[in-house]
Amino acid sequence: STISILPTSLPQIHRANMLAQGLPAASKISPLVNKKSKTRWHFGIRSRSYPLDVMGEIYMALKNLGAEWAKPSEEDLWTIRVRWKYEVAQNKNNEKIPDLMKMIIQLFQIETNNYLVDFKFDGWESSYGEVSANVNLSEDEMSTFSAYPFLHLTTRLIMELAVNS
Amino acid sequence: EKIIVEQKLAVESIRAFLKSKTSYDVLPVSYRLIVLDTSLLVKKSLNVLLQNNIVSAPLWDAKTSRFAGLLTSSDFINVIQYYFSNPDKFELVDKLQLDGLKDIERAIGVEPPDTASIHPSRPLYEACIRMMDSTSRRIPLIDQDEDTHREIVVSVLTQYRILKFVALNCRETHFLRRPIGELNIITKNNVASCRMTTPVIDVIQLLSQGNVASIPIVDHEGTLINVYEAVDVLGLIKGGIYNDLSLSVGEALMRRSDDFEGVYTCTERDKLSTIMDNIRKSRVHRFFVTDDSGKLVGVLTLSDLLKYILLGE
Amino acid sequence: LATSSIKHNTLCVASIVRYKRKYVTQILYAPL
């Protein structure tokens, strides 16, 4: 095989050749540092505030964003069942799609003074009553779920919390 | 004669393989899909691509809750060209959001990219044909959310990923032993090229006008020295150098990060089996064909390779 | 929901979703 890598195309060699020509701009230009900053992931969002304050902030943010929630039960003050109308620009063929997203927001204690707010997708409902019955979908179809509307609403909520705090 | 027959049979069986598999089969068991909200600033989206070491990403429009096409290096080339013709519009370019890229396309009069898409359970062969017709090098796999019937981008398949899948799964690639010079698949005529001193903006125009992803750099004797690729534009913008577009392409190439693997070359005597071997082992996106003294003869792109496997022989 | 720290005023959230027999980590970058 005569397949090979062109030596003059290797960045170090190219740079040496360019600097050898003594061009003024060449010395100013540094190589792009391809920092492979591994994205560090966390579950939900963390908080060190007092638990009741966290819950208060979440209710305030939900209210500002026009979401609604079920009245919390006495024995579980740390879970919020949210229903959030997702206004989408009506699409062309005006098809009726479920527009109420349900979400469960739950406060967990990791350790003393360290809490975590977890967001979970909890299905769709339609504001015009008809619940989309997906009984006949096979196991495979049931798993075609797009997280993007859910992710979008959580970014709205996180922004509201960030801005408020 | 034996080699010719063997190659013909091998191509047919690879084609049958592509018809027997679906795009879904190419997907790893677990993978990431990075999507950008269309209200993101273009310059922020550049950070996201570079941070994740990717060159393209699907866009999602939260207002319509739909997918809004793919962000690719062509979009950044359009922004550079727009800025070059409107240097006073720095403010607008700096504040440009991803949903403003369509206006940029119209302002510089380029055709919007025709992004064909396909359902993940369709045969892989069909995805390849669709990609070839749409002259794009990648194709989004779109399914429907069972509740909202909204589109889901399951993944985006590229020519590279498909050829790698074939190279890894089809033993028949070892029987492709005819020299590539005999197969009439090398692009030889009117391959746009430039010199090391050519202004980088002229090279960017060549990329855009020719709708190609790379421009070879040759010396006064036609010897291949380097290549400027469309993805290099991301580094150019990142460095904010695009407001100094008088840079030569040689100077602009100084932006390349040190982990760039280099330009792959071959000759007309090389066989497809060795080409596929290289695709199996490394991240190679094209092969520049040179003669024995290193003079540029032409280029063998992944599109040329895929077209031969799908329709050749 | 998985979140990553806010950088360059850009939020990054993700969810791991099963798609048939494969797993997709759907990641969304949005402006803060």
Side-chain angles (χ1 to χ4, degrees):
Chain A
S1 147
T2 56
I3 293 176
S4 64
I5 289 184
L6 189 65
T8 49
S9 70
L10 293 169
Q12 299 80 353
I13 297 180
H14 172 70
R15 197 164 297 120
N17 291 344
M18 290 299 291
L19 291 174
Q21 289 173 32
L23 292 159
S27 49
K28 267 186 331 193
I29 298 168
S30 57
L32 190 69
V33 175
N34 239 359
K35 56 185 186 318
K36 297 223 181 3
S37 54
K38 283 292 291 162
T39 311
R40 280 176 41 74
W41 294 104
H42 311 283
F43 266 113
I45 52 180
R46 285 157 303 161
S47 161
R48 291 195 179 284
S49 311
Y50 185 58
L52 274 178
D53 290 350
V54 179
M55 297 308 283
E57 277 178 36
I58 296 173
Y59 279 112
M60 282 298 291
L62 287 171
K63 186 166 179 297
N64 296 348
L65 292 166
E68 50 186 7
W69 55 85
K71 191 172 177 314
S73 57
E74 276 312 308
E75 63 277 358
D76 183 359
L77 291 173
W78 311 109
T79 302
I80 308 176
R81 295 185 173 284
V82 182
R83 199 168 59 177
W84 196 331
K85 189 165 173 53
Y86 190 116
E87 304 282 358
V88 290
Q90 200 50 34
N91 57 353
K92 28 198 181 299
N93 44 9
N94 231 342
E95 77 194 83
K96 285 277 180 208
I97 62 162
D99 56 349
L100 294 175
M101 177 188 292
K102 294 195 291 174
M103 193 190 284
I104 297 177
I105 301 176
Q106 195 155 356
L107 187 71
F108 290 93
Q109 177 167 14
I110 311 275
E111 58 203 2
T112 44
N113 279 348
N114 190 354
Y115 300 93
L116 174 141
V117 184
D118 181 42
F119 305 80
K120 238 191 309 298
F121 174 73
D122 187 33
W124 289 93
E125 275 179 12
S126 310
S127 56
Y128 35 88
E130 163 216 337
V131 179
S132 50
N134 279 319
V135 289
N136 50 2
L137 279 176
S138 74
E139 167 57 21
D140 261 359
E141 264 73 48
M142 281 312 279
S143 66
T144 50
F145 161 70
S146 167
Y148 290 101
F150 165 67
L151 294 175
H152 169 66
L153 289 184
T154 54
T155 57
R156 301 273 313 279
L157 190 42
I158 291 171
M159 279 179 235
E160 189 67 27
L161 288 167
V163 163
N164 290 353
S165 67
Chain B
E1 186 56 29
K2 180 173 171 298
I3 286 186
I4 290 178
V5 171
E6 260 182 4
Q7 173 128 343
K8 192 167 167 28
L9 294 175
V11 168
E12 278 160 11
S13 87
I14 293 171
R15 218 168 275 168
F17 172 79
L18 287 173
K19 289 178 179 168
S20 71
K21 295 292 175 198
T22 66
S23 299
Y24 171 82
D25 294 326
V26 182
L27 302 179
V29 170
S30 161
Y31 63 96
R32 297 177 311 168
L33 180 68
I34 287 171
V35 171
L36 307 174
D37 184 301
T38 51
S39 59
L40 211 54
L41 289 180
V42 170
K43 66 180 181 183
K44 301 282 188 195
S45 66
L46 183 63
N47 290 332
V48 173
L49 296 182
L50 291 171
Q51 228 170 37
N52 290 284
N53 214 10
I54 55 178
V55 295
S56 172
L59 302 179
W60 193 74
D61 182 341
K63 289 183 288 305
T64 58
S65 183
R66 286 188 169 284
F67 280 88
L70 296 178
L71 175 69
T72 67
S73 48
S74 311
D75 293 303
F76 294 102
I77 286 176
N78 293 343
V79 170
I80 283 190
Q81 289 188 299
Y82 173 78
Y83 179 69
F84 188 68
S85 356
N86 307 274
D88 55 315
K89 293 279 193 333
F90 178 77
E91 195 63 28
L92 180 141
V93 168
D94 201 47
K95 296 271 174 295
L96 186 64
Q97 292 186 185
L98 291 172
D99 44 22
L101 288 171
K102 293 272 169 275
D103 306 332
I104 295 287
E105 277 167 8
R106 278 192 287 274
I108 62 172
V110 296
E111 277 300 302
D114 140 26
T115 43
S117 66
I118 196 163
H119 192 281
S121 357
R122 299 299 304 156
L124 193 48
Y125 183 86
E126 204 177 304
C128 297
I129 294 284
R130 192 105 32 117
M131 208 176 348
M132 233 168 46
D133 295 346
S134 73
T135 68
S136 79
R137 301 170 187 91
R138 57 191 71 244
I139 185 164
L141 304 182
I142 305 272
D143 195 343
Q144 261 206 3
D145 178 294
E146 84 262 11
D147 280 331
T148 64
H149 307 299
R150 285 267 180 259
E151 287 171 336
I152 313 177
V153 172
V154 173
S155 184
V156 180
L157 267 199
T158 60
Q159 289 169 344
Y160 171 74
R161 283 280 301 284
I162 291 172
L163 283 166
K164 192 133 188 132
F165 184 67
V166 169
L168 287 165
N169 294 286
C170 286
R171 277 177 309 97
E172 294 83 351
T173 51
H174 298 305
F175 295 102
L176 302 172
R177 293 187 296 165
R178 293 179 61 192
I180 54 175
E182 283 176 17
L183 305 176
N184 195 21
I185 57 175
I186 299 167
T187 308
K188 287 183 183 174
N189 314 320
N190 54 51
V191 172
S193 64
C194 68
R195 308 290 279 276
M196 205 53 97
T197 51
T198 307
V200 68
I201 186 63
D202 295 352
V203 181
I204 289 173
Q205 311 270 15
L206 288 175
L207 285 168
S208 175
Q209 282 147 17
N211 187 23
V212 291
S214 65
I215 299 290
I217 302 171
V218 296
D219 69 5
H220 58 289
E221 291 166 340
T223 307
L224 181 67
I225 314 177
N226 209 321
V227 173
Y228 193 76
E229 300 178 358
V231 294
D232 288 313
V233 163
L234 276 66
L236 194 66
I237 299 185
K238 174 70 186 159
I241 300 186
Y242 64 113
N243 45 31
D244 175 6
L245 288 173
S246 59
L247 280 183
S248 72
V249 68
E251 288 160 335
L253 278 177
M254 308 266 286
R255 288 292 293 159
R256 246 181 202 156
S257 68
D258 283 340
D259 56 9
F260 175 71
E261 286 192 19
V263 170
Y264 277 79
T265 60
C266 69
T267 65
E268 296 193 83
R269 296 190 305 278
D270 281 306
K271 306 178 178 73
L272 269 193
S273 50
T274 1
I275 295 278
M276 293 305 276
D277 256 351
N278 277 272
I279 290 176
R280 179 181 308 116
K281 288 180 297 199
S282 2
R283 293 181 61 84
V284 48
H285 286 85
R286 59 192 68 79
F287 292 83
F288 282 88
V289 185
T290 62
D291 63 17
D292 292 337
S293 64
K295 286 200 180 28
L296 180 69
V297 168
V299 59
L300 178 65
T301 66
L302 299 188
S303 305
D304 300 326
L305 268 175
L306 209 48
K307 196 178 292 179
Y308 171 72
I309 291 178
L310 295 173
L311 310 171
E313 290 297 338
Chain C
L1 178 84
T3 61
S4 94
S5 38
I6 297 172
K7 265 185 231 157
H8 311 291
N9 255 3
T10 305
L11 253 183
C12 173
V13 290
S15 251
I16 299 181
V17 171
R18 180 170 65 83
Y19 179 70
K20 300 193 190 328
R21 282 175 299 288
K22 301 194 175 174
Y23 292 88
V24 196
T25 301
Q26 296 183 338
I27 301 172
L28 177 68
Y29 281 88
L32 190 57

